[in-house]
């Protein structure tokens, strides 16, 4: 480490997405009888990230199932965003269309849904639900990191949290452009982690028909931002991880051993200073599509465990007794 390099701490992330109401296979299910790695307990980590599509249709009972899994997870901080299926967390959509179209007369209590994710029990369990925007966190070990989150994706079958493809949610537009991004992605080096429901165009976004369906504007934003890790889901067929080396315009697929994934209940990659090839912040980004479900909505995919170095927080931030949230 050069004298000008900030101090870092090896940190473990657990990444998952598109659980669609499946809380994980029971703890007493042996790997020899269940050929799926998504089993309880979830692997221990410092920070858990869930990239949305928590449920199938935003029912309170569905959220409660996944909340229990997250609450029991051995992690200090558990960050959750919504996805297009989590319709009761998009209150404008639910009032205008989704409530009647998806739930008919059996409407959900939106206050109860919000209370589950933002109430005292969530705080006590380290669960933090985030809307679109930038937040900063400090962990007990002194790590301080900044994360950009967004539950939105290009319009898809009239589900929630959608936008037209000609609308740019992630980059600052000229003043005369009709649509202005409400929460544009900052430039490098301000963001350590990105957590979006949808993928950027051309990165782990290929459907079973061979089409890349990610967002072009999100790709432009992440090219500017160059986070250490970008986690997403939405396209179930895109499960996997890639390292993108920006200056070389090169991509490398992360290969994993299926037997080890099954045994350890997760796919793993170490890009920390303890690994064979530490990730160079600003030079490369690790992209992870962490969809648990496959295209048939079967929970066959593994969560991802990522070891990486995150910076030490500033001295004034480290004065907080537990993880702190700083709105930016």
């Amino acid at each position: 480490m050069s004298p000008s390099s900030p101090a870092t701490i090896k940190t473990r992330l657990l990444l998952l997405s598109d659980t669609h109401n499946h809380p994980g296979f029971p703890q007493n299910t042996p790997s020899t009888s269940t050929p799926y790695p998504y089993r309880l307990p979830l692997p221990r980590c410092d920070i858990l990230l869930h990239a949305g599509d928590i449920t199938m249709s935003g029912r309170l009972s569905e959220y409660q199932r996944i909340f229990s899994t997250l609450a029991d997870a051995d992690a200090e901080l558990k960050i959750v965003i919504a996805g297009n299926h989590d319709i009761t967390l998009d209150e404008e959509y639910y009032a205008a269309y989704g409530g009647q179209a998806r739930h008919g007369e059996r409407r959900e209590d939106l206050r109860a849904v919000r209370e589950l994710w933002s109430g005292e029990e969530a705080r006590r369990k380290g669960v933090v639900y985030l809307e679109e925007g930038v937040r900063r966190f400090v962990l007990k070990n002194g790590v301080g990191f900044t994360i950009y989150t967004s539950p939105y994706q290009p319009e898809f079958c009239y589900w929630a949290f959608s936008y037209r493809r000609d609308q740019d949610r992630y980059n600052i537009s000229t003043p005369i452009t009709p649509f202005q991004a409400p929460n544009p992605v900052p430039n490098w080096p301000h963001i350590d982690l990105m957590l979006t429901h949808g993928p950027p165009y051309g990165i782990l976004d290929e459907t079973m028909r061979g089409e890349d369906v990610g967002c072009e504007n999100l790709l432009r934003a992440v090219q500017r931002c160059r986070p250490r890790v970008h986690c997403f889901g939405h396209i179930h067929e895109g499960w996997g991880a890639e390292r993108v080396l920006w200056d070389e315009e090169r991509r490398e697929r992360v290969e994993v051993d299926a037997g080890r994934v099954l045994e350890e209940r997760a796919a793993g990659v170490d890009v920390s200073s303890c690994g064979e090839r530490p990730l160079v912040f600003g030079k490369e980004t690790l992209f992870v599509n962490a969809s648990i479900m496959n295209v048939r909505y079967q929970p066959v995919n593994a969560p991802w465990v990522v070891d990486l170095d995150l910076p030490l927080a500033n001295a004034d931030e480290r004065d907080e007794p537990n993880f702190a949230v700083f709105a930016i």
Side-chain angles (χ1 to χ4, degrees):
M1 180 184 302
S2 67
S4 62
S5 299
T8 59
I9 298 176
K10 182 178 179 180
T11 306
R12 174 160 289 185
L13 310 181
L14 178 64
L15 312 178
L16 66 163
S17 184
D18 294 77
T19 48
H20 287 291
N21 197 33
H22 199 296
F25 290 99
Q27 184 172 0
N28 60 356
T29 303
S31 60
T32 53
S33 63
T34 300
Y36 306 135
Y38 179 46
R39 306 190 313 278
L40 301 177
L42 294 176
R44 187 208 64 79
C45 64
D46 300 301
I47 305 165
L48 184 154
L49 302 180
H50 193 305
D53 274 5
I54 306 161
T55 67
M56 288 297 291
S57 66
R59 291 289 185 186
L60 178 59
S61 59
E62 294 179 309
Y63 290 122
Q64 289 169 335
R65 294 185 70 189
I66 304 301
F67 182 89
S68 294
T69 293
L70 300 181
D72 291 342
D74 186 1
E76 178 183 347
L77 174 61
K78 306 147 189 183
I79 298 176
V80 182
I81 65 171
N84 55 292
H85 279 258
D86 305 317
I87 64 175
T88 41
L89 289 168
D90 187 345
E91 296 181 8
E92 182 178 349
Y93 164 86
Y94 195 73
Y97 174 80
Q100 180 61 40
R102 307 293 183 186
H103 288 170
E105 299 303 316
R106 295 179 55 241
R107 301 290 184 91
E108 290 290 340
D109 182 346
L110 301 188
R111 290 174 299 178
V113 171
R114 285 281 170 176
E115 175 63 21
L116 176 69
W117 291 110
S118 304
E120 179 58 35
E121 179 69 4
R123 288 189 290 271
R124 192 168 63 85
K125 295 293 187 179
V127 176
V128 178
Y129 173 77
L130 293 181
E131 307 278 2
E132 183 178 74
V134 177
R135 295 292 184 273
R136 182 159 176 81
F137 293 87
V138 177
L139 302 183
K140 294 176 183 177
N141 65 0
V143 160
F145 70 95
T146 306
I147 186 170
Y148 176 88
T149 56
S150 177
Y152 292 91
Q153 71 286 305
E155 194 170 51
F156 180 74
C157 297
Y158 301 105
W159 285 94
F161 295 106
S162 66
Y163 55 86
R164 300 198 317 266
R165 282 196 175 268
D166 62 351
Q167 293 178 332
D168 186 352
R169 288 198 70 89
Y170 306 108
N171 303 283
I172 296 175
S173 303
T174 60
I176 63 172
T177 303
F179 180 84
Q180 297 291 319
N183 300 288
V185 176
N187 291 333
W188 185 83
H190 297 292
I191 300 296
D192 296 296
L193 307 176
M194 284 186 70
L195 180 65
T196 63
H197 182 57
Y201 180 80
I203 300 178
L204 304 170
D205 68 333
E206 186 175 319
T207 69
M208 61 185 300
R209 296 179 180 178
E211 301 172 320
D212 290 323
V213 294
C215 178
E216 295 90 344
N217 291 317
L218 180 57
L219 176 62
R220 288 201 300 121
V222 76
Q223 287 171 333
R224 287 190 296 101
C225 180
R226 299 190 177 193
R228 302 170 196 268
V229 174
H230 182 187
C231 173
F232 47 86
H234 189 47
I235 305 304
H236 299 180
E237 309 96 304
W239 180 91
E242 286 186 354
R243 292 177 78 147
V244 172
L245 289 78
W246 295 112
D247 295 339
E248 300 177 33
E249 298 184 351
R250 180 159 56 90
R251 293 161 53 175
E252 300 175 357
R253 184 83 178 197
V254 175
E255 302 296 338
V256 295
D257 178 81
R260 185 173 179 180
V261 169
L262 182 60
E263 182 65 27
E264 297 182 354
R265 309 188 308 284
V269 57
D270 187 349
V271 294
S272 74
S273 56
C274 298
E276 294 182 1
R277 263 187 63 201
L279 184 141
V280 181
F281 183 40
K283 298 291 186 181
E284 57 183 321
T285 295
L286 177 68
F287 291 88
V288 179
N289 182 325
S291 298
I292 294 298
M293 296 291 180
N294 66 7
V295 71
R296 297 178 182 271
Y297 287 83
Q298 298 168 320
V300 303
N301 294 327
W304 279 85
V305 167
V306 176
D307 290 322
L308 79 162
D309 299 324
L310 287 177
L312 192 65
N314 299 326
D316 57 338
E317 294 177 328
R318 296 199 300 271
D319 290 339
E320 294 291 337
N322 293 305
F323 76 79
V325 187
F326 298 86
I328 296 178

